[in-house]
Amino acid sequence: MSELSKAPAKRVTNRDHIVVAAHRLFNERGYAAVTTNHIAEEVGISPGNLYYHFANKEAIAETIFEAMSNRIRETSALPAHAADPALFAAYYTSAMETHWSYRFIFGDTEHLIRQSPVIASGYRSVMNWVTGRLVELFERLAHEGHLVGEPTPETLEMVAQNTTVLITSWWRYLNTTEGPSQARAARVRQGARHAFALVEPYVEPKYAADVRRVIAEASR
């Protein structure tokens, strides 16, 4: 590749450093425990420099939330077909990877939506998106003959809603039952197996076994 054909490298700015540092601190300490002074100190800049880029802590969280929303929508795109158990399992495993990467959002959801109308509106939108994609995925499984017992559309929608609730609440559950020091990435990834258990009773046994195997391999 010639030098002229190479795309120029994106310059990393203080704004980028602020977002990365804030994301790390929010995940490590929880959103409510971190101040703009903590973030500025972590980056090695003055509070005034931080405020040049962001009006307040909520604006930083909104930027991180937007990145999470984009990631969720990308990983929730429906596959061409659901016949491959690995593609189906990826819905659960990718959801828990996102959960771990943005765990402060799921741990401090109520605080964030009270503080930021942008996050409140965006959170509702992305949760409805995820639930809708799950309903479509379950319907596709039924069409391809991988569901048993002929669950009604109402049942599939309820299972999709319950799955969304479990996935978004998993970090809070681990924090309250085990404590933050024990809630590591591996435990968060295990939430994929718990989420799949909600639809598993309606899934053809051989297909379900294949999905469980893929989830187990990805959750190690």
Side-chain angles (χ1 to χ4, degrees):
M1 181 182 296
S2 69
E3 291 298 321
L4 291 177
S5 64
K6 290 182 179 179
K10 182 181 180 294
R11 186 172 69 89
V12 179
T13 66
N14 274 350
R15 188 181 193 279
D16 298 323
H17 289 305
I18 290 167
V19 172
V20 170
H23 191 167
R24 181 172 61 253
L25 291 176
F26 292 159
N27 274 343
E28 291 175 353
R29 305 179 189 179
Y31 176 77
V34 177
T35 67
T36 51
N37 284 344
H38 292 143
I39 299 168
E41 182 180 1
E42 183 76 7
V43 178
I45 61 175
S46 69
N49 195 330
L50 182 148
Y51 289 124
Y52 173 79
H53 297 282
F54 293 98
N56 48 43
K57 185 175 74 167
E58 289 73 29
I60 304 173
E62 288 166 2
T63 298
I64 300 170
F65 179 84
E66 181 181 7
M68 185 197 76
S69 297
N70 291 338
R71 174 169 169 174
I72 287 174
R73 292 179 189 277
E74 289 171 2
T75 57
S76 296
L78 290 171
H81 56 82
D84 185 348
L87 296 178
F88 186 78
Y91 254 70
Y92 295 89
T93 57
S94 65
M96 299 319 298
E97 291 298 334
T98 300
H99 194 99
W100 172 253
S101 297
Y102 296 90
R103 55 194 177 278
F104 82 91
I105 293 175
F106 298 105
D108 290 330
T109 304
E110 290 80 6
H111 183 82
L112 283 161
I113 62 178
R114 283 197 304 268
Q115 293 291 315
S116 170
V118 171
I119 292 179
S121 175
Y123 192 86
R124 287 191 293 270
S125 176
V126 78
M127 292 304 103
N128 287 334
W129 166 273
V130 169
T131 302
R133 298 294 76 71
L134 282 167
V135 170
E136 291 182 41
L137 189 62
F138 295 160
E139 290 173 344
R140 189 168 295 180
L141 281 180
H143 177 73
E144 295 179 3
H146 295 300
L147 296 189
V148 295
E150 298 184 357
T152 65
E154 292 77 13
T155 296
L156 294 181
E157 184 170 0
M158 188 180 302
V159 173
Q161 291 171 342
N162 290 344
T163 300
T164 302
V165 170
L166 188 150
I167 289 173
T168 56
S169 303
W170 187 244
W171 178 250
R172 290 196 298 276
Y173 169 77
L174 293 179
N175 270 312
T176 55
T177 58
E178 301 177 4
S181 63
Q182 299 301 317
R184 302 301 183 188
R187 282 291 284 130
V188 172
R189 292 188 182 105
Q190 289 169 9
R193 178 67 186 90
H194 291 260
F196 176 63
L198 295 172
V199 74
E200 188 174 356
Y202 306 101
V203 178
E204 187 273 321
K206 173 63 169 60
Y207 187 90
D210 290 339
V211 173
R212 288 198 306 270
R213 175 181 51 77
V214 175
I215 290 177
E217 290 172 354
S219 301
R220 291 173 182 166

